[in-house]
Amino acid sequence: MKYDDLPIFDLRPHQPEINMYRVRLDSASDVYSMVKYIEIKNVFQVMDDSKEQYLIFVADNALLVEVVDGTRMNLRVNNISVEVATIFFNDAISFVPCFKYTDSEDVVMFTSRNFHFHVDNGGQFATDYYGMRHELIESIFSIESYVDLNDDHQFKESKLSALLTESKTVLYFPDYLLQVPNREQLINLMDLALRLRNVPFFILVLFYLRRSSIHLRFEEYENKVQKISGPWKEAILYVLKSKDGDNAHYDSIFEKQFFDLNQHRHLPLGDFIEALCDNFTRYQRFIDGHYQIIPTAKQKAFLKRLICAEECFHFSEVGSGKTKVILPLLCQAFLSNNAEAHKHLARGGRLKDTLIVLVPEHLVTDARTQVYRYCLNLNFREEYRVYDDIFALKHRNVQFRSMHRDYIVKKQIYVTSFNQFKKALTDQDICRKVYPHREHILVVADEVDDFLDRNKLVFNICTNKSNAFERSTLDLFFEVSRAAYSDQGCPHMLVESSSNPIYWKQLYDKFRAIFVEIQDASRSINKSFGIFNEHTLRHCTANISHDIEGYKSLIARPYESVNRAMPGSYYSDVERTVFLTYVILTEDIEKYDDLFQGERKFISYEYWNEHFVHQLDFDDLVYGHEKLSEICEKHPEAKDGLARFLYEIILRRMEIRDKSRSVNSIDIIFNFDCIGFTGTPFLDNYPTADYIRHERNDDIPNMISRDFYAYTSEDLAASEFEQRFATFQGQNSNVLVKYVPSDFIRASTDEMATLEAIFAREEQLGSSNCGAAKAAFNAIVDLCGIFKRSSIHDVCNCIINHFGPDRFHYLYHIDQSDNSDRVLCIKTGNDIQYDEEFYKFLCKTYGADLRDRIFFFVDNRNVIGKDIPFQLIYQKHYGQALFTKSVVIAHDVDDFSKIWQAMGRSRTMNQTEFSIYKSDIPESLQDDDGVAHDIKSLELTRLLYVANCDRKMAGNISSIYLTLIALFNLAQESFYYNDKIVNVFLDKMEDTINGKVSVHEKELVHYVLGNVVPAGILRHIVTDKFKKSSSAVVSQERLDEAKLEMLLRHIVRQKYEQRLPSHDIFDDLLLFLSGEQRSLMEISYTKQHQKQKQKQQNKNQDSDAMGVFDEKHQLSIKLSSKNYFEDSRGGLEDEAKSMLNLPISVPILTLGYTLGGQQRTIDVYPTLQFIYSHHIHQEY
């Protein structure tokens, strides 16, 4: 077993010997402290007799220790040479043992329980004075937020010692500012300070930790035993600003570690921004006599415009430093008391004391890192908080000053994702706090076009329940699915025998439409639906094991429903799920092998006799071990019966909605003052909170500049279009692109075969252009998810197979669990962080040739806004782009915004050539010269760009419907909407949908059109859309009150698929508002089904799986246990388990029988466990 070609274990012996070692490291510097040496345990020795080497794994880094001449050691962290040193950084962080880079003054501090710092106990250091150093971390408690198994947010108090992990902290010369990316690192550093006996270091970390914590509690006494004393108690009292903690000497030390922004209260905004930028440079690495990142004049001007401009959202080119520079500077401006800045940030309303930073889910880690790095060391002694979880608002200790005047916290910053914020606004506890305070809150949205994407507007929070499908309903679903799949025509006899034949006929038409759709768009991405397991969930975020548990029921769900829009998945489109499940059963039955193995024992003799009597032996089928896929391969005629058997099991397990609440992005725009920025500024237009606050009735101002929009209705000349496109490009003014037909992907059945074909095509293009066989590209951006089911190791193997082992040495990718930057070594298979240290190693090893040795793979989850690091540094140093040529797999994606975002993963677009693989390119727009052209001169660019502008402006039926819901919520003074029509498919099946839709229409008419402000907003929104239509009938339409009401009713009926053509102007208006939709059913229209932790019933039929009981049916029992784990190992000690096994005194079944002339009775008593199961209705 090897790591980085270093042999660690010899696995050949029958009983391999594995030895762990301890290594002692002494400081190489002339500076000494109380720490005499560092001892590291759990160390591996490299098995090489020619040299003595040791390998240490710490905080996702590899530390190699090499003994030289038996007297000294060479140390390398990720191949970068370091030495142990004790360094005096400043008065606050002084004499700390750490690792210093041998070629620079930057240092690394590792925290790990495997590191022991030997502290001198002799001389003046009294052991009783410092003797509690190991216990203090046990006496500090923190309130932590977590998500329970019901997906509810809870809080618990934890000892800091229980939260310790390993971490790596880098401090940059010459300022040595303490910068951390998260709270976990602060907790680790606090433990390190305690073990080093370094009181000033402890104080500094505690200042930071308080600012990022919900609540810290210090347990001074336990059972009359004092646990916190000496200098540690003094330090804590000092940080808490207790009367007993005043210390002017400490103030003089720590004040220097914080930037005082409040001294600039009366500074003009331009001068204040200059001061912020001067401070900003001191956070950066210092290389070759200057700081690595210095805000440019353009970035300063953009920040000023962002703060001052009347428009709330702003466009800045892809790669212009919005997240890395603008966002932290904006947060610092908010935390200051600069009068002019806060006057503008008020946005015409009240002064803001709360900032909520919203980013796409995959960018939360990056955004949090930036805010933590730059916002914890400002304004010494000022009480403000930085939270990385919006659900901190649920805790009673987190309040707003407008509601609690004695609340000491003056300002708060929250960093969260779009959907988490929407989810928070469905929580009643949070709504009670936020709604009355909303005018004091400023929302900052990064990638605001994604926030307002018509397909991602809504977030639903649902409670689910088991379905109650009758067998006849399951038979109908199966027969209609089979008929639609095989194009046999609707099974009329069976349908006519149902209680609602019209529904099943419509369902057949819908299934046929879905089938036609997936033959093209979805087949190209290996089915954009499928069974979720640990392989298909590799692209999910956060708790993957929880997701796997939730989806084990093997119900087909759109892959894209997890992360991006999928046709028809709004309102949890059960009908689509039902049909896709049948498709998977038919085309990829192997995925159901495990399910079949667990369920085959339930095949009855009657079912066997009906479906398998001539093909399979009953005992072999029910009790055998042959896999489902093997049976179908040997006996294809039995496949239909097996599919029917599994289909019924799967559908019985499928949960349906019980209750639903929803919040959409428009609700946030209406209720909060917002500002934001994006690199692809195509978005719909809505009134701002200030417009609504002043009850304006004039034209709605543009939320973002539209100078570069180009609509079909304008019919621009080529020169005018290119001028507008150039305005959109900004500094990326010389982008060379070739559109490559990707229709060949549809014929491919294997993801890696597709990748191999792309490699071959690019190699062919490269050789035709350069006269060399060497591939001319080193980056692939998988925009549409072609390689969703392949791991990064599959991609690595494909690269080796095609290019050989020596063409590329490293493969860049993005970690699917935390979105961090990783590099996979192609030779050894090691997967490590792609951080500054490793980048420096690559530069030392390869120099300017680095770009020829690293291949960049960007998956579809990280297309929007993800920064691939070090590109601009590489360009500045070597005068060339790190991405030589980028291949963008757009294929069936027609959204130009997303294509441009995918191209923007190259931060040097002017120096990177692009191949954009696109399907269905008209023959007239294809060119065979193999040469890249200026993107704005290509006719296909214009086609995509104009269609994108039209699409964003028009929206679709769901986006205009959600606008109605947001206006309804506005009239109701609510953030969220309680959905009245929860299960559309059930209402359609039971023929109750029309009545519910009519009630819903009246409700919206009353509250939206019955209030002046919402009615005016709706009229302005739809009128502005109609004016830009390319249809004269639509663009010339003027809406009076009667027509506006009729339009609202038509929109609602169309949304629920209940509208029939009216053969008048409303057909044209609805067609325009439907975007690409061209039918009554929402087949080609997309709406994101937000990923939720579904509480799926995924157990076998003979096990106890249950839904959540209504509170009125619950019996609450509380038990206390000092150590439940130990109790669970015993028998009767486990009271909870014992209770579940106790019988209930009411029989669940009474059986009377006669035996020997005597009447007898058997009573069957249920256990509590049995009552608490899916076999029993909760009402019982």
Side-chain angles (χ1 to χ4, degrees):
M1 185 181 291
K2 295 182 178 182
Y3 178 84
D4 212 11
D5 271 355
L6 300 172
I8 306 300
F9 297 145
D10 186 351
L11 301 177
R12 290 170 296 180
H14 180 64
Q15 290 185 324
E17 200 172 84
I18 301 172
N19 296 314
M20 307 298 284
Y21 294 82
R22 291 175 184 256
V23 170
R24 169 176 162 169
L25 302 176
D26 292 297
S27 175
S29 67
D30 295 329
V31 181
Y32 291 90
S33 70
M34 292 184 294
V35 179
K36 296 305 176 185
Y37 60 83
I38 303 172
E39 184 179 271
I40 308 173
K41 62 182 180 181
N42 293 331
V43 177
F44 300 95
Q45 184 177 28
V46 177
M47 301 177 69
D48 186 345
D49 295 333
S50 64
K51 46 190 170 185
E52 188 178 355
Q53 292 178 311
Y54 297 90
L55 195 59
I56 302 159
F57 295 107
V58 54
D60 208 16
N61 287 260
L63 179 63
L64 182 66
V65 180
E66 186 173 8
V67 180
V68 182
D69 301 330
T71 57
R72 59 188 179 85
M73 294 182 179
N74 287 341
L75 283 78
R76 282 180 287 168
V77 175
N78 296 340
N79 290 315
I80 300 294
S81 181
V82 297
E83 61 185 17
V84 177
T86 302
I87 294 180
F88 179 89
F89 302 109
N90 51 55
D91 289 336
I93 311 176
S94 54
F95 304 117
V96 175
C98 53
F99 295 89
K100 188 180 87 65
Y101 296 109
T102 55
D103 62 348
S104 76
E105 297 299 318
D106 297 340
V107 300
V108 180
M109 287 193 291
F110 285 113
T111 61
S112 170
R113 283 299 188 175
N114 289 326
F115 280 47
H116 172 67
F117 298 89
H118 182 74
V119 181
D120 190 347
N121 287 325
Q124 70 270 38
F125 304 116
T127 54
D128 58 343
Y129 195 67
Y130 289 98
M132 58 169 291
R133 63 188 180 279
H134 297 301
E135 291 78 29
L136 182 55
I137 199 75
E138 303 271 347
S139 302
I140 305 176
F141 296 79
S142 171
I143 298 293
E144 300 295 313
S145 171
Y146 70 98
V147 181
D148 66 16
L149 293 177
N150 291 329
D151 200 28
D152 293 328
H153 290 258
Q154 308 288 354
F155 299 95
K156 69 176 181 180
E157 189 177 65
S158 300
K159 289 182 179 180
L160 291 192
S161 57
L163 304 175
L164 292 173
T165 56
E166 293 186 337
S167 62
K168 169 187 174 183
T169 307
V170 181
L171 279 75
Y172 300 138
F173 171 84
D175 299 287
Y176 294 118
L177 296 176
L178 181 61
Q179 302 175 61
V180 294
N182 51 52
R183 280 187 79 245
E184 290 77 13
Q185 206 164 111
L186 286 173
I187 294 170
N188 294 335
L189 289 172
M190 176 171 282
D191 182 57
L192 176 63
L194 291 169
R195 288 193 286 147
L196 295 177
R197 297 183 179 176
N198 196 315
V199 177
F201 190 19
F202 169 79
I203 290 174
L204 183 63
V205 174
L206 185 54
F207 269 123
Y208 279 37
L209 188 60
R210 272 196 83 220
R211 286 182 165 176
S212 59
S213 300
I214 294 173
H215 179 67
L216 295 176
R217 181 173 69 84
F218 304 90
E219 189 175 64
E220 185 180 359
Y221 287 93
E222 184 182 34
N223 298 328
K224 297 183 180 180
V225 175
Q226 187 171 10
K227 298 183 70 178
I228 303 178
S229 61
W232 306 111
K233 179 179 176 180
E234 291 180 30
I236 292 168
L237 290 174
Y238 170 72
V239 174
L240 297 179
K241 213 173 181 181
S242 164
K243 290 180 181 178
D244 300 328
D246 288 341
N247 192 317
H249 176 58
Y250 278 11
D251 285 349
S252 67
I253 293 174
F254 293 105
E255 200 167 10
K256 299 171 187 172
Q257 307 306 313
F258 294 79
F259 289 110
D260 181 14
L261 300 184
N262 288 339
Q263 64 179 312
H264 306 304
R265 181 182 182 89
H266 301 294
L267 210 60
L269 184 57
D271 296 337
F272 175 58
I273 289 174
E274 289 290 341
L276 287 179
C277 293
D278 287 342
N279 292 342
F280 183 85
T281 59
R282 293 179 57 194
Y283 290 88
Q284 313 307 320
R285 190 186 286 272
F286 193 78
I287 297 177
D288 299 331
H290 56 80
Y291 288 102
Q292 201 168 59
I293 301 177
I294 301 173
T296 63
K298 191 171 184 179
Q299 288 169 332
K300 294 173 187 176
F302 180 76
L303 176 61
K304 187 172 182 179
R305 190 168 83 250
L306 183 65
I307 294 172
C308 297
E310 183 180 345
E311 295 152 349
C312 50
F313 299 130
H314 301 272
F315 164 57
S316 184
E317 298 96 335
V318 170
S320 59
K322 294 182 290 293
T323 305
K324 293 285 174 68
V325 179
I326 302 301
L327 178 61
L329 286 174
L330 180 64
C331 291
Q332 288 191 346
F334 167 77
L335 290 172
S336 76
N337 64 356
N338 183 264
E340 190 176 349
H342 276 278
K343 175 188 171 185
H344 291 296
L345 291 175
R347 307 292 302 169
R350 298 181 180 180
L351 291 176
K352 305 299 186 252
D353 60 18
T354 305
L355 187 73
I356 299 178
V357 178
L358 298 184
V359 297
E361 190 169 2
H362 66 280
L363 296 181
V364 170
T365 302
D366 282 348
R368 180 191 63 203
T369 297
Q370 300 311 315
V371 175
Y372 270 70
R373 278 189 65 192
Y374 296 99
C375 292
L376 293 177
N377 65 336
L378 307 175
N379 301 335
F380 178 60
R381 283 293 189 190
E382 186 170 288
E383 292 288 351
Y384 65 83
R385 296 290 180 267
V386 177
Y387 297 114
D388 58 3
D389 184 1
I390 191 68
F391 281 90
L393 280 166
K394 278 179 71 76
H395 197 271
R396 64 179 182 275
N397 282 19
V398 180
Q399 300 292 343
F400 293 118
R401 280 176 72 87
S402 66
M403 300 158 65
H404 297 269
R405 291 296 175 190
D406 56 343
Y407 190 52
I408 62 170
V409 176
K410 292 182 178 179
K411 290 177 182 170
Q412 303 174 59
I413 295 179
Y414 297 86
V415 182
T416 189
S417 69
F418 301 154
N419 288 339
Q420 279 295 92
F421 187 44
K422 293 172 191 173
K423 182 181 178 183
L425 293 181
T426 65
D427 186 283
Q428 287 181 325
D429 294 335
I430 291 177
C431 286
R432 275 193 289 268
K433 287 183 183 179
V434 171
Y435 195 85
H437 187 75
R438 66 191 185 284
E439 286 203 27
H440 297 279
I441 296 174
L442 179 66
V443 172
V444 176
D446 190 1
E447 305 300 344
V448 69
D449 60 316
D450 195 50
F451 178 59
L452 289 173
D453 188 322
R454 61 184 187 163
N455 298 322
K456 301 179 184 179
L457 289 173
V458 71
F459 184 89
N460 293 296
I461 190 79
C462 311
T463 55
N464 294 338
K465 62 182 180 181
S466 302
N467 70 68
F469 294 145
E470 296 178 354
R471 181 172 294 277
S472 58
T473 302
L474 298 174
D475 289 341
L476 278 162
F477 273 131
F478 182 82
E479 294 297 342
V480 172
S481 297
R482 181 168 64 174
Y485 180 80
S486 51
D487 197 14
Q488 296 174 351
C490 184
H492 289 289
M493 286 186 62
L494 183 63
V495 165
E496 290 296 337
S497 67
S498 70
S499 58
N500 187 0
I502 295 174
Y503 169 73
W504 295 103
K505 290 174 183 175
Q506 289 178 345
L507 187 65
Y508 172 81
D509 293 336
K510 182 170 184 175
F511 283 179
R512 277 304 301 162
I514 294 172
F515 180 75
V516 171
E517 175 199 345
I518 65 175
Q519 297 318 299
D520 180 16
S522 297
R523 209 180 274 281
S524 67
I525 52 176
N526 301 299
K527 305 290 180 204
S528 57
F529 51 86
I531 303 310
F532 277 65
N533 53 41
E534 60 270 26
H535 301 299
T536 57
L537 279 170
R538 55 174 283 272
H539 59 280
C540 289
T541 58
N543 196 340
I544 291 179
S545 61
H546 190 83
D547 291 331
I548 295 169
E549 191 66 24
Y551 288 107
K552 269 184 182 170
S553 56
L554 299 182
I555 295 167
R557 291 187 182 273
Y559 276 136
E560 293 152 306
S561 69
V562 177
N563 296 307
R564 67 184 179 103
M566 178 64 192
S569 57
Y570 180 57
Y571 274 101
S572 191
D573 192 339
V574 176
E575 294 160 339
R576 172 175 289 271
T577 297
V578 164
F579 180 65
L580 295 186
T581 302
Y582 179 83
V583 175
I584 291 288
L585 265 169
T586 306
E587 297 188 1
D588 202 357
I589 203 165
E590 184 181 349
K591 290 179 178 176
Y592 293 84
D593 281 346
D594 292 340
L595 177 68
F596 177 71
Q597 191 58 37
E599 302 293 335
R600 63 196 307 170
K601 58 182 174 286
F602 296 109
I603 298 176
S604 67
Y605 184 81
E606 290 77 15
Y607 192 86
W608 169 81
N609 196 41
E610 182 180 350
H611 294 281
F612 311 115
V613 66
H614 299 300
Q615 299 103 28
L616 298 167
D617 177 75
F618 178 75
D619 286 346
D620 288 344
L621 177 64
V622 177
Y623 305 112
H625 298 285
E626 210 168 20
K627 292 181 179 179
L628 171 68
S629 52
E630 293 170 349
I631 295 173
C632 292
E633 190 175 344
K634 291 180 182 176
H635 308 281
E637 63 277 13
K639 185 175 181 179
D640 187 68
L642 291 168
R644 182 188 289 269
F645 169 70
L646 289 173
Y647 193 70
E648 181 176 328
I649 291 172
I650 293 166
L651 293 198
R652 283 202 183 281
R653 293 180 179 188
M654 183 173 67
E655 289 188 335
I656 58 176
R657 290 186 177 187
D658 184 21
K659 297 172 185 173
S660 174
R661 279 183 186 171
S662 62
V663 172
N664 71 73
S665 302
I666 309 168
D667 289 310
I668 295 170
I669 297 294
F670 285 177
N671 282 283
F672 299 95
D673 287 304
C674 301
I675 58 175
F677 35 80
T678 176
T680 45
F682 304 100
L683 43 99
D684 209 342
N685 201 42
Y686 301 100
T688 62
D690 189 57
Y691 180 98
I692 294 168
R693 184 162 50 232
H694 291 96
E695 298 186 358
R696 290 168 57 177
N697 198 30
D698 55 330
D699 288 344
I700 297 172
N702 285 335
M703 299 173 75
I704 196 167
S705 172
R706 296 169 184 267
D707 295 342
F708 36 79
Y709 281 38
Y711 301 109
T712 303
S713 58
E714 295 178 297
D715 194 21
L716 298 174
S719 58
E720 174 65 17
F721 169 77
E722 290 189 18
Q723 184 179 337
R724 293 195 190 183
F725 192 88
T727 306
F728 160 70
Q729 285 180 283
Q731 65 187 15
N732 302 312
S733 56
N734 186 34
V735 179
L736 300 179
V737 164
K738 176 171 177 55
Y739 289 102
V740 182
S742 64
D743 304 278
F744 70 92
I745 292 176
R746 291 177 180 141
S748 177
T749 56
D750 179 72
E751 291 183 349
M752 290 302 99
T754 303
L755 185 59
E756 176 81 23
I758 291 170
F759 285 162
R761 284 168 186 259
E762 285 304 309
E763 208 166 32
Q764 185 180 0
L765 287 170
S767 82
S768 65
N769 289 341
C770 312
K774 187 178 179 181
F777 79 107
N778 68 340
I780 278 188
V781 183
D782 180 17
L783 173 58
C784 63
I786 292 287
F787 311 114
K788 256 186 188 297
R789 294 191 294 181
S790 300
S791 71
I792 195 62
H793 294 279
D794 295 329
V795 176
C796 181
N797 291 335
C798 189
I799 290 173
I800 294 172
N801 292 338
H802 186 83
F803 298 110
D806 298 321
R807 170 69 179 92
F808 293 105
H809 293 177
Y810 296 97
L811 173 58
Y812 167 89
H813 65 104
I814 298 161
D815 190 278
Q816 300 296 332
S817 60
D818 63 3
N819 303 299
S820 60
D821 303 292
R822 311 288 299 179
V823 170
L824 182 71
C825 179
I826 289 177
K827 183 180 179 183
T828 65
N830 289 347
D831 190 32
I832 62 172
Q833 285 180 321
Y834 183 50
D835 55 14
E836 289 175 287
E837 286 69 42
F838 191 72
Y839 171 72
K840 190 164 33 170
F841 161 74
L842 293 176
C843 289
K844 279 190 172 184
T845 306
Y846 303 110
D849 294 334
L850 160 62
R851 67 179 189 171
D852 297 324
R853 297 302 181 189
I854 185 167
F855 190 91
F856 294 89
F857 179 81
V858 182
D859 63 274
N860 72 301
R861 285 191 60 250
N862 292 284
V863 167
I864 297 175
K866 175 64 180 176
D867 181 36
I868 316 301
F870 312 120
Q871 294 185 63
L872 297 177
I873 295 170
Y874 177 88
Q875 182 196 35
K876 186 175 181 181
H877 194 245
Y878 297 110
Q880 58 187 20
L882 188 57
F883 282 28
T884 54
K885 183 179 182 182
S886 177
V887 172
V888 175
I889 316 295
H891 192 54
D892 52 2
V893 175
D894 293 319
D895 189 329
F896 186 80
S897 291
K898 290 185 171 63
I899 294 173
W900 188 259
Q901 281 277 7
M903 295 167 65
R905 294 321 93 217
S906 166
R907 297 313 202 190
T908 52
M909 293 177 73
N910 288 333
Q911 292 179 285
T912 301
E913 190 177 311
F914 296 91
S915 282
I916 300 175
Y917 280 68
K918 185 77 189 73
S919 62
D920 300 318
I921 300 176
E923 278 190 39
S924 60
L925 301 182
Q926 294 184 22
D927 66 88
D928 300 318
D929 60 5
V931 178
H933 300 274
D934 186 345
I935 187 170
K936 60 179 169 286
S937 67
L938 296 171
E939 191 59 33
L940 183 55
T941 299
R942 174 171 180 154
L943 194 67
L944 293 169
Y945 186 87
V946 172
N948 189 52
C949 293
D950 288 343
R951 190 182 296 120
K952 300 295 183 181
M953 172 270 300
N956 51 32
I957 278 296
S958 188
S959 66
I960 193 64
Y961 171 76
L962 289 171
T963 304
L964 293 176
I965 295 298
L967 291 169
F968 173 81
N969 292 340
L970 189 66
Q972 294 280 82
E973 297 186 349
S974 172
F975 291 132
Y976 60 81
Y977 175 67
N978 279 315
D979 294 318
K980 308 293 191 303
I981 306 173
V982 180
N983 290 301
V984 180
F985 85 105
L986 274 184
D987 289 320
K988 286 196 282 187
M989 190 189 302
E990 295 166 0
D991 203 18
T992 58
I993 186 71
N994 264 310
K996 291 187 176 183
V997 170
S998 296
V999 172
H1000 187 39
E1001 279 177 33
K1002 292 175 185 175
E1003 180 183 57
L1004 290 177
V1005 168
H1006 176 72
Y1007 285 99
V1008 175
L1009 300 185
N1011 287 277
V1012 175
V1013 175
I1017 290 171
L1018 179 60
R1019 179 180 284 104
H1020 282 304
I1021 286 175
V1022 293
T1023 302
D1024 288 347
K1025 289 178 183 293
F1026 294 159
K1027 285 178 183 175
K1028 298 181 179 71
S1029 171
S1030 57
S1031 165
V1033 176
V1034 175
S1035 63
Q1036 293 169 12
E1037 179 59 33
R1038 298 295 176 262
L1039 295 173
D1040 56 24
E1041 286 187 14
K1043 280 188 176 179
L1044 188 63
E1045 179 180 334
M1046 286 300 297
L1047 178 63
L1048 183 151
R1049 292 178 181 275
H1050 279 285
I1051 290 169
V1052 175
R1053 300 203 75 80
Q1054 179 78 356
K1055 175 66 211 139
Y1056 290 99
E1057 301 179 356
Q1058 299 305 303
R1059 179 183 179 272
L1060 296 174
S1062 57
H1063 306 293
D1064 56 17
I1065 183 63
F1066 292 104
D1067 281 349
D1068 296 303
L1069 299 181
L1070 265 291
L1071 189 66
F1072 173 74
L1073 290 174
S1074 297
E1076 299 84 25
Q1077 184 182 328
R1078 291 293 179 265
S1079 69
L1080 177 65
M1081 293 176 292
E1082 292 188 289
I1083 298 303
S1084 59
Y1085 146 71
T1086 63
K1087 169 55 62 177
Q1088 184 180 37
H1089 171 72
Q1090 306 293 355
K1091 180 172 75 72
Q1092 300 174 29
K1093 306 288 195 297
Q1094 299 285 353
K1095 297 182 283 291
Q1096 294 282 1
Q1097 295 181 348
N1098 48 29
K1099 305 293 183 182
N1100 290 339
Q1101 285 184 350
D1102 57 345
S1103 70
D1104 287 328
M1106 43 74 67
V1108 178
F1109 280 15
D1110 191 289
E1111 261 186 52
K1112 64 185 177 186
H1113 301 308
Q1114 291 181 13
L1115 169 66
S1116 294
I1117 300 174
K1118 272 191 178 177
L1119 300 171
S1120 295
S1121 171
K1122 289 185 177 178
N1123 189 334
Y1124 184 68
F1125 175 70
E1126 285 299 325
D1127 290 353
S1128 68
R1129 297 173 67 180
L1132 295 175
E1133 293 86 356
D1134 189 349
E1135 292 184 53
K1137 186 174 181 181
S1138 300
M1139 282 189 178
L1140 291 172
N1141 290 326
L1142 291 175
I1144 303 294
S1145 60
V1146 180
I1148 200 166
L1149 170 70
T1150 297
L1151 181 69
Y1153 66 100
T1154 304
L1155 183 65
Q1158 290 187 337
Q1159 286 279 347
R1160 302 195 180 189
T1161 302
I1162 295 176
D1163 286 333
V1164 180
Y1165 293 93
T1167 62
L1168 180 60
Q1169 174 79 36
F1170 186 80
I1171 291 291
Y1172 193 60
S1173 77
H1174 69 82
H1175 298 288
I1176 309 298
H1177 288 294
Q1178 56 178 297
E1179 289 77 14
Y1180 177 84

